[in-house]
Amino acid sequence: MSVSTINAGDFIAQHQQENITIIDLRTAAETESECLGNCLSLPVQELDKDSFAKTLTEAGYQQGPIYLLCQSGRRAQMAVDKLQNEADYELVIIEGGLNACKENGIRLQGSGRKVMSLERQVRIAAGFLVVLGVVLGSMLAPAFYALSAFVGAGLMFAGITDTCGMAMMLAAMPWNKASKGKKNCSI
């Protein structure tokens, strides 16, 4: 497997000139909300060697580089890490992800449905659990402070390892799923 990166400006120029394979690694709800046209949708939390191969086969992939797209580039790197030593493809990470593409003027398609980003959902859930632990600890029993400590430890672990268990759980929630039958991002 070979891995390289491309900046958003160069990717946009290539995207406009060639028929390329792009896999959007964001949640199904995020891709339904806004995406590049003709992307394959495969959320990083569902990614493994088999799902990757199946997605490519169903799309009629023949050969050539596979561009990995997410919101900022972090999930694309996670995908590369998951596929390391598992697949023999030429993977290209789009630096800065969809955010960088938008800054460079790429046109997106969208459903008009507003979706809260997964990162924002994690911040809200973590903040809520910390406040809940403090309130319950001061009103009911000091043992509830452990909830705040647990969330803090989880955030530290997420920062150190660049994996977030809370994000993985939130990604599996019904509001982060796309409409039935939605597999590719051509709204």
Side-chain angles (χ1 to χ4, degrees), residues 8-171:
D10 291 342
F11 166 73
I12 292 168
Q14 207 164 14
H15 179 257
Q16 292 170 344
Q17 294 175 354
E18 299 175 26
N19 184 19
I20 59 177
T21 303
I22 308 165
I23 295 185
D24 195 325
L25 299 160
R26 297 173 302 141
T27 65
E30 287 174 301
T31 59
E32 187 175 296
S33 173
E34 69 176 357
C35 66
L36 290 174
N38 299 321
C39 282
L40 304 173
S41 178
L42 179 59
V44 74
Q45 65 274 7
E46 298 173 13
L47 177 70
D48 60 25
K49 180 181 88 172
D50 295 332
S51 65
F52 191 73
K54 181 179 178 187
T55 298
L56 291 173
T57 301
E58 288 175 355
Y61 171 78
Q62 299 285 324
Q63 64 181 12
I66 301 165
Y67 293 82
L68 302 177
L69 177 69
C70 61
Q71 197 66 38
S72 65
R74 192 171 54 200
R75 285 182 263 189
Q77 185 59 55
M78 288 173 61
V80 167
D81 294 343
K82 280 184 162 188
L83 294 171
Q84 199 73 33
N85 303 321
E86 295 288 330
D88 191 28
Y89 297 102
E90 181 184 349
L91 303 178
V92 181
I93 296 173
I94 301 166
E95 293 176 337
L98 199 60
N99 291 339
C101 291
K102 286 192 273 189
E103 288 173 8
N104 281 277
I106 200 163
R107 259 186 33 208
L108 300 176
Q109 298 176 347
S111 66
R113 178 178 163 224
K114 292 291 180 187
V115 174
M116 189 180 301
S117 73
L118 196 55
E119 181 181 337
R120 187 171 170 206
Q121 291 177 49
V122 168
R123 290 191 308 243
I124 290 169
F128 172 77
L129 290 172
V130 167
V131 170
L132 181 66
V134 169
V135 169
L136 292 175
S138 61
M139 295 180 123
L140 296 178
F144 282 106
Y145 289 127
L147 176 61
S148 298
F150 178 74
V151 172
L155 291 171
M156 284 177 32
F157 177 80
I160 292 167
T161 64
D162 204 20
T163 59
C164 182
M166 187 181 294
M168 290 180 207
M169 287 190 319
L170 287 170

